[in-house]
Amino acid sequence: MVQVIWELKVKFRDREKFEHFYDSKGDWVKFLSKSPEYQGTDILESGEGDGIFLVIDEWLTEESFKEFVAGRKMEYDLLEEKAKAVSRSKKRIWIAI
């Protein structure tokens, strides 16, 4: 199992949009669920009230994540643009193996 971990700083006024985008029925999970190698997404909040969240996507392998994104690059890029609309910043922290 591999975890792709993203750190997002969420705009306070867009918190509800952020939660809807990344929840189990949101655009992010719907997109990733197209791959049988995708195992799920967890969201953790910092607890400091600073709008920082970790979005943790679980995959069977690092290669399956990379191949899925590469094979759907245009669709993935459009999704990333939507993600930017509900956050101040987004960066991949690491892939845990």
Side-chain angles (χ1 to χ4, degrees):
M1 184 83 60
V2 173
Q3 294 180 325
V4 182
I5 303 172
W6 309 90
E7 178 190 80
L8 289 96
K9 296 180 182 174
V10 177
K11 301 171 186 174
F12 180 75
R13 69 181 185 276
D14 291 330
R15 181 184 171 124
E16 192 172 307
K17 290 179 187 175
F18 163 81
E19 290 173 350
H20 180 71
F21 183 78
Y22 286 101
D23 75 13
S24 62
K25 295 177 182 164
D27 291 346
W28 186 254
V29 172
K30 283 181 185 176
F31 173 71
L32 298 181
S33 293
K34 294 176 183 178
S35 171
E37 305 291 313
Y38 168 72
Q39 303 297 297
T41 294
D42 293 312
I43 301 171
L44 303 174
E45 186 175 1
S46 75
E48 298 294 323
D50 53 7
I52 297 176
F53 292 81
L54 295 179
V55 174
I56 305 166
D57 300 321
E58 295 185 0
W59 290 81
L60 289 180
T61 65
E62 181 177 347
E63 293 77 26
S64 62
F65 164 72
K66 289 179 178 179
E67 288 174 10
F68 179 77
V69 170
R72 293 172 170 79
K73 178 104 173 85
M74 287 180 52
E75 190 177 355
Y76 181 79
D77 289 345
L78 289 172
L79 195 64
E80 281 293 305
E81 287 302 314
K82 283 185 176 181
K84 288 178 186 177
V86 297
S87 62
R88 292 180 296 175
S89 68
K90 179 181 180 181
K91 66 178 179 176
R92 187 169 63 195
I93 299 174
W94 62 77
I95 296 177
I97 298 174

